[in-house]
């Protein structure tokens, strides 16, 4: 699964692990991405979205219809 949120656009950040001896190695900071299924009443079907934990709370606040409209406005598929 790609570590990418469809609603907020959150993607991995990159940085370094720093050891006790201060050697640096690359690492990724992945967003907390979950696959969640919602019922979309206007289309009479379910949609499966890949959302960050913060985006799931946003969907709860604004509703699935508004969230899908935002995803489609960003050029995403929902």
């Amino acid at each position: 699964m790609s570590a990418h949120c469809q609603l907020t656009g959150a993607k991995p950040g990159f940085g370094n692990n720093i050891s006790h001896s201060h050697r640096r190695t690359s690492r990724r900071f992945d967003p907390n991405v979950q696959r969640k299924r919602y019922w979309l009443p206007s289309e009479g079907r379910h949609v499966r979205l890949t959302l960050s934990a913060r985006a799931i709370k946003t969907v709860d606040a604004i509703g699935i219809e508004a969230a899908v409209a935002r995803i489609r406005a960003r050029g995403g598929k929902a």
Side-chain angles (χ1 to χ4, degrees):
M1 165 176 29
S2 171
H4 171 257
C5 176
Q6 290 179 289
L7 182 60
T8 62
K11 292 180 180 175
F14 295 89
N16 292 304
N17 282 322
I18 303 180
S19 69
H20 180 68
S21 64
H22 217 65
R23 289 179 62 96
R24 292 161 188 254
T25 54
S26 294
R27 64 158 296 177
R28 276 169 57 127
F29 294 90
D30 286 332
N32 183 8
V33 172
Q34 312 291 326
R35 279 180 63 82
K36 194 143 168 60
R37 189 170 157 232
Y38 290 98
W39 173 251
L40 196 57
S42 65
E43 298 182 15
R45 67 183 184 100
H46 286 96
V47 290
R48 189 178 301 276
L49 301 175
T50 304
L51 301 171
S52 63
R54 188 178 86 201
I56 291 172
K57 294 173 190 172
T58 302
V59 170
D60 291 343
I62 67 173
I64 186 61
E65 299 287 346
V68 167
R70 281 190 194 180
I71 291 169
R72 289 179 176 156
R74 290 183 72 235
K77 183 180 173 222

